Amino acid sequence: MSAIESLSWTSAYPPALDFGQQLTREQLINSMQLTMSRHEGGPVWLFAYGSLIWRPECSSVERQRARVHGYHRGLYLWSHEHRGTPETPGLVFGLDRGGSCSGFAYRLDESNLDDSLMALWQREMPYPAYRPHWLSCRLGDGSKVQALGFVLERHLPCYAGNLPDTLLSQILASAKGRYGTTREYVEQTLNALRSHQMPDRNLEARFRRCHNLREV
């Protein structure tokens, strides 16, 4: 059992979710400005590990395969709008502590950086479920850059953690929100990673196990 699995799931599905109030535009701007004040200078890179791989929000002038260490990709964040509902919440990816994660790094266009960042904040931070963080990121060409990533906040109610396969299987079979099902979201991410020859083998194996549970 992994460290995250040791945070054993003890509540019934669906959970009682409280995402709190949506952030106002002023709060989004303050969060964005605080994050950018911690940037060490130079080009602004964005690390994409989930839907940003196949549906990027920002205009970029360069894209490279990339990897970050110290964080991994997991279906650990409840979704009550985009990939589920309050009655049948779904899940979306987040970066959580431990391991490493492959994805893409986008070098953002400096000519419209503020607009790109605001669009990104509006997409990723409508609720304070993530913490914007500068990640140490190794690019495909071997260079290291500081890349913006959105890291999960474990102490919030919207953090699901590593759910049992039986429960994840149920969610994959039933959760659907404004932008489609949790299953479609996972499949699109897996397909994007495969198509660029960087499959997430742990996630692939888990997805197969959950599919097999539904077939039993």
Side-chain angles (χ1 to χ4, degrees), residues 68-152:
V68 299
H69 290 272
Y71 294 92
H72 67 282
R73 172 178 36 239
L75 280 169
Y76 300 153
L77 180 65
W78 289 114
S79 174
H80 68 321
E81 290 184 5
H82 294 171
R83 297 292 170 173
T85 65
E87 296 74 27
T88 310
L91 293 165
V92 292
F93 289 116
L95 287 179
D96 207 355
R97 297 191 299 269
S100 66
C101 182
S102 61
F104 278 102
Y106 297 93
R107 181 162 61 89
L108 302 186
D109 187 349
E110 295 286 344
S111 67
N112 63 343
L113 182 60
D114 287 347
D115 289 342
S116 291
L117 289 174
M118 177 50 69
L120 181 64
W121 250 255
Q122 288 173 327
R123 169 171 164 170
E124 300 295 319
M125 296 284 292
Y127 299 91
Y130 293 111
R131 173 171 52 88
H133 187 61
W134 293 105
L135 303 164
S136 178
C137 181
R138 185 172 293 279
L139 303 181
D141 64 9
S143 61
K144 291 184 72 173
V145 300
Q146 187 186 35
L148 175 64
F150 291 88
V151 176
L152 288 168

Side-chain angles (χ1 to χ4, degrees), residues 19-199:
F19 280 72
Q21 293 294 315
Q22 281 191 274
L23 297 181
T24 65
R25 182 175 178 83
E26 181 179 4
Q27 288 172 318
L28 289 173
I29 291 172
N30 289 341
S31 171
M32 186 176 73
Q33 290 177 340
L34 178 61
T35 302
M36 293 306 297
S37 73
R38 295 170 177 155
H39 186 237
E40 295 175 355
V44 177
W45 292 84
L46 169 69
F47 181 66
Y49 57 87
S51 61
L52 285 171
I53 295 175
W54 42 269
R55 189 168 65 86
E57 193 68 49
C58 305
S59 59
S60 62
V61 294
E62 182 181 356
R63 184 182 77 165
Q64 288 200 44
R65 288 165 56 137
R67 179 173 290 275
V68 299
H69 290 272
Y71 294 92
H72 67 282
R73 172 178 36 239
L75 280 169
Y76 300 153
L77 180 65
W78 289 114
S79 174
H80 68 321
E81 290 184 5
H82 294 171
R83 297 292 170 173
T85 65
E87 296 74 27
T88 310
L91 293 165
V92 292
F93 289 116
L95 287 179
D96 207 355
R97 297 191 299 269
S100 66
C101 182
S102 61
F104 278 102
Y106 297 93
R107 181 162 61 89
L108 302 186
D109 187 349
E110 295 286 344
S111 67
N112 63 343
L113 182 60
D114 287 347
D115 289 342
S116 291
L117 289 174
M118 177 50 69
L120 181 64
W121 250 255
Q122 288 173 327
R123 169 171 164 170
E124 300 295 319
M125 296 284 292
Y127 299 91
Y130 293 111
R131 173 171 52 88
H133 187 61
W134 293 105
L135 303 164
S136 178
C137 181
R138 185 172 293 279
L139 303 181
D141 64 9
S143 61
K144 291 184 72 173
V145 300
Q146 187 186 35
L148 175 64
F150 291 88
V151 176
L152 288 168
E153 295 277 39
R154 285 188 172 193
H155 65 280
L156 296 177
C158 51
Y159 176 77
N162 197 359
L163 302 177
D165 285 353
T166 50
L167 180 51
L168 180 56
S169 175
Q170 178 184 348
I171 294 167
L172 290 170
S174 59
K176 182 178 182 179
R178 181 186 305 167
Y179 296 130
T181 67
T182 295
R183 173 177 287 275
E184 291 166 345
Y185 168 82
V186 176
E187 288 175 336
Q188 285 174 295
T189 303
L190 289 176
N191 289 338
L193 291 168
R194 283 191 217 111
S195 69
H196 293 97
Q197 291 76 53
M198 49 181 182

